[in-house]
Short mmCIF file of all heavy atoms in Angstrom, two decimals:
data_model
loop_
_atom_site.label_atom_id
_atom_site.label_comp_id
_atom_site.label_asym_id
_atom_site.label_seq_id
_atom_site.Cartn_x
_atom_site.Cartn_y
_atom_site.Cartn_z
N ASP A 202 107.88 84.56 71.13
CA ASP A 202 107.06 85.06 70.15
C ASP A 202 106.35 86.24 70.85
O ASP A 202 105.52 86.14 71.62
CB ASP A 202 106.03 83.94 69.75
CG ASP A 202 105.02 84.44 68.79
OD1 ASP A 202 105.17 85.55 68.14
OD2 ASP A 202 104.01 83.68 68.51
N VAL A 203 106.76 87.41 70.48
CA VAL A 203 106.34 88.62 71.13
C VAL A 203 105.24 89.25 70.25
O VAL A 203 105.51 89.58 69.04
CB VAL A 203 107.39 89.69 71.46
CG1 VAL A 203 106.90 90.91 71.99
CG2 VAL A 203 108.54 88.98 72.26
N LYS A 204 104.02 89.17 70.65
CA LYS A 204 102.85 89.65 69.81
C LYS A 204 102.76 91.11 69.87
O LYS A 204 102.84 91.69 70.94
CB LYS A 204 101.58 88.98 70.38
CG LYS A 204 101.66 87.44 70.38
CD LYS A 204 101.49 86.96 68.92
CE LYS A 204 101.31 85.45 68.85
NZ LYS A 204 101.54 84.92 67.47
N VAL A 205 102.31 91.70 68.71
CA VAL A 205 102.14 93.12 68.59
C VAL A 205 100.76 93.36 68.03
O VAL A 205 100.42 92.83 66.97
CB VAL A 205 103.17 93.79 67.72
CG1 VAL A 205 103.07 95.31 67.77
CG2 VAL A 205 104.54 93.41 67.94
N LEU A 238 110.88 86.57 67.78
CA LEU A 238 110.13 87.04 66.65
C LEU A 238 109.15 87.96 67.06
O LEU A 238 108.36 87.74 68.17
CB LEU A 238 109.64 85.82 65.90
CG LEU A 238 110.42 84.83 65.20
CD1 LEU A 238 109.74 83.77 64.46
CD2 LEU A 238 111.62 85.45 64.39
N LEU A 239 108.94 89.21 66.41
CA LEU A 239 107.72 89.95 66.74
C LEU A 239 106.77 89.52 65.66
O LEU A 239 107.03 89.50 64.50
CB LEU A 239 108.12 91.37 66.49
CG LEU A 239 108.94 92.17 67.38
CD1 LEU A 239 108.84 93.70 67.11
CD2 LEU A 239 108.76 91.81 68.94
N SER A 240 105.49 89.29 66.12
CA SER A 240 104.49 88.84 65.21
C SER A 240 103.12 89.51 65.45
O SER A 240 102.84 89.95 66.55
CB SER A 240 104.28 87.26 65.09
OG SER A 240 103.75 86.88 66.43
N ALA A 241 102.52 89.81 64.31
CA ALA A 241 101.21 90.69 64.26
C ALA A 241 100.09 89.95 65.00
O ALA A 241 99.85 88.73 64.74
CB ALA A 241 100.91 90.87 62.91
N MET A 242 99.43 90.75 65.77
CA MET A 242 98.25 90.17 66.49
C MET A 242 97.18 91.24 66.45
O MET A 242 96.51 91.52 67.56
CB MET A 242 98.70 89.79 68.00
CG MET A 242 97.68 89.13 68.92
SD MET A 242 96.45 88.13 68.14
CE MET A 242 97.42 86.57 67.79
N ASP A 243 96.82 91.67 65.26
CA ASP A 243 95.66 92.54 65.07
C ASP A 243 94.42 91.85 64.69
O ASP A 243 93.32 92.28 64.89
CB ASP A 243 95.98 93.63 63.95
CG ASP A 243 97.13 94.58 64.44
OD1 ASP A 243 96.94 95.21 65.42
OD2 ASP A 243 98.10 94.61 63.79
N VAL A 244 94.57 90.65 64.25
CA VAL A 244 93.54 89.74 63.73
C VAL A 244 93.81 88.41 64.45
O VAL A 244 94.97 88.00 64.65
CB VAL A 244 93.75 89.54 62.23
CG1 VAL A 244 92.72 88.46 61.70
CG2 VAL A 244 93.55 90.79 61.47
N PRO A 245 92.73 87.71 64.89
CA PRO A 245 92.95 86.33 65.58
C PRO A 245 93.82 85.48 64.74
O PRO A 245 93.71 85.45 63.47
CB PRO A 245 91.51 85.85 65.72
CG PRO A 245 90.58 86.93 65.55
CD PRO A 245 91.30 88.03 64.69
N LEU A 246 94.61 84.62 65.40
CA LEU A 246 95.41 83.61 64.59
C LEU A 246 94.62 82.46 64.29
O LEU A 246 93.94 81.85 65.13
CB LEU A 246 96.69 83.33 65.43
CG LEU A 246 97.87 82.62 64.78
CD1 LEU A 246 98.46 83.40 63.65
CD2 LEU A 246 98.89 82.32 65.82
N GLY A 247 94.59 82.05 63.03
CA GLY A 247 93.68 80.97 62.60
C GLY A 247 92.30 81.33 62.57
O GLY A 247 91.97 82.70 62.54
N PRO A 268 94.69 76.78 58.82
CA PRO A 268 94.68 78.09 58.19
C PRO A 268 96.11 78.54 57.90
O PRO A 268 97.07 78.24 58.76
CB PRO A 268 94.10 78.95 59.17
CG PRO A 268 93.45 78.14 60.18
CD PRO A 268 94.13 76.72 60.19
N ALA A 269 96.33 79.16 56.78
CA ALA A 269 97.69 79.61 56.29
C ALA A 269 98.47 80.46 57.36
O ALA A 269 99.69 80.26 57.51
CB ALA A 269 97.58 80.33 54.94
N ASP A 270 97.77 81.35 58.07
CA ASP A 270 98.47 82.21 58.96
C ASP A 270 99.05 81.45 60.21
O ASP A 270 100.17 81.64 60.54
CB ASP A 270 97.56 83.42 59.45
CG ASP A 270 96.30 83.08 60.13
OD1 ASP A 270 95.90 81.89 60.00
OD2 ASP A 270 95.72 83.96 60.75
N LEU A 271 98.26 80.56 60.67
CA LEU A 271 98.68 79.77 61.73
C LEU A 271 99.87 78.91 61.34
O LEU A 271 100.89 78.68 62.08
CB LEU A 271 97.42 78.88 62.13
CG LEU A 271 97.68 77.88 63.41
CD1 LEU A 271 98.21 78.60 64.61
CD2 LEU A 271 96.42 77.15 63.72
N VAL A 272 99.83 78.28 60.25
CA VAL A 272 100.91 77.46 59.66
C VAL A 272 102.22 78.37 59.52
O VAL A 272 103.28 77.93 60.01
CB VAL A 272 100.53 76.75 58.28
CG1 VAL A 272 101.79 76.03 57.79
CG2 VAL A 272 99.36 75.84 58.50
N GLU A 273 101.98 79.57 59.01
CA GLU A 273 103.15 80.29 58.78
C GLU A 273 103.95 80.68 60.09
O GLU A 273 105.12 80.63 60.17
CB GLU A 273 102.74 81.66 58.11
CG GLU A 273 103.90 82.64 57.75
CD GLU A 273 103.50 83.93 57.06
OE1 GLU A 273 102.41 83.94 56.53
OE2 GLU A 273 104.22 84.89 57.29
N VAL A 274 103.19 81.09 61.12
CA VAL A 274 103.86 81.48 62.33
C VAL A 274 104.45 80.24 63.00
O VAL A 274 105.52 80.29 63.58
CB VAL A 274 102.75 82.20 63.34
CG1 VAL A 274 103.29 82.34 64.72
CG2 VAL A 274 102.38 83.54 62.83
N THR A 275 103.72 79.25 62.96
CA THR A 275 104.32 77.91 63.58
C THR A 275 105.52 77.54 62.91
O THR A 275 106.55 77.24 63.60
CB THR A 275 103.21 76.78 63.43
OG1 THR A 275 102.02 77.27 63.99
CG2 THR A 275 103.67 75.54 64.18
N ALA A 277 107.72 79.36 61.14
CA ALA A 277 108.66 80.37 61.41
C ALA A 277 109.27 80.12 62.77
O ALA A 277 110.52 80.18 62.93
CB ALA A 277 108.10 81.85 61.33
N LYS A 374 87.97 85.73 57.15
CA LYS A 374 89.12 86.37 57.62
C LYS A 374 89.38 87.65 56.71
O LYS A 374 88.99 87.58 55.52
CB LYS A 374 90.35 85.51 57.67
CG LYS A 374 90.24 84.42 58.66
CD LYS A 374 90.69 84.71 60.15
CE LYS A 374 92.01 85.29 60.37
NZ LYS A 374 92.96 84.37 60.74
N ALA A 416 98.19 93.96 51.97
CA ALA A 416 98.88 92.81 52.57
C ALA A 416 99.79 93.35 53.62
O ALA A 416 100.57 94.34 53.42
CB ALA A 416 99.55 92.00 51.52
N SER A 417 99.87 92.65 54.83
CA SER A 417 100.74 93.01 55.81
C SER A 417 101.51 91.75 56.41
O SER A 417 100.79 90.68 56.46
CB SER A 417 100.25 93.82 56.94
OG SER A 417 99.06 93.10 57.46
N PRO A 418 102.80 91.80 56.60
CA PRO A 418 103.42 90.59 57.06
C PRO A 418 102.97 90.14 58.41
O PRO A 418 102.58 90.92 59.28
CB PRO A 418 104.93 91.06 57.14
CG PRO A 418 104.91 92.48 57.19
CD PRO A 418 103.56 93.00 56.59
N LEU A 419 103.11 88.95 58.63
CA LEU A 419 102.72 88.27 59.93
C LEU A 419 103.87 88.31 60.87
O LEU A 419 103.80 88.70 62.05
CB LEU A 419 102.24 86.81 59.59
CG LEU A 419 101.28 86.17 60.55
CD1 LEU A 419 100.08 87.12 60.79
CD2 LEU A 419 100.82 84.81 59.97
N VAL A 420 105.13 87.97 60.41
CA VAL A 420 106.29 87.98 61.18
C VAL A 420 106.94 89.39 60.81
O VAL A 420 107.28 89.58 59.83
CB VAL A 420 107.29 86.76 60.88
CG1 VAL A 420 108.57 87.01 61.68
CG2 VAL A 420 106.50 85.48 61.28
N LEU A 421 107.03 90.18 61.91
CA LEU A 421 107.37 91.54 61.62
C LEU A 421 108.86 91.86 61.77
O LEU A 421 109.45 92.64 61.06
CB LEU A 421 106.78 92.44 62.59
CG LEU A 421 105.20 92.45 62.63
CD1 LEU A 421 104.51 93.14 63.86
CD2 LEU A 421 104.60 93.17 61.37
N GLU A 422 109.60 90.98 62.60
CA GLU A 422 111.02 91.37 62.99
C GLU A 422 111.55 90.14 63.73
O GLU A 422 110.83 89.55 64.50
CB GLU A 422 111.00 92.54 63.75
CG GLU A 422 112.32 93.18 64.04
CD GLU A 422 112.19 94.54 64.68
OE1 GLU A 422 111.07 95.19 64.70
OE2 GLU A 422 113.28 94.96 65.35
#
Side-chain angles (χ1 to χ4, degrees):
D202 182 9
V203 179
K204 301 285 189 195
V205 188
L238 298 183
L239 292 197
S240 68
M242 184 31 78
D243 293 301
V244 172
L246 196 56
D270 59 345
L271 178 57
V272 174
E273 183 183 335
V274 171
T275 307
K374 293 276 302 263
S417 54
L419 208 48
V420 176
L421 304 167
E422 191 174 337

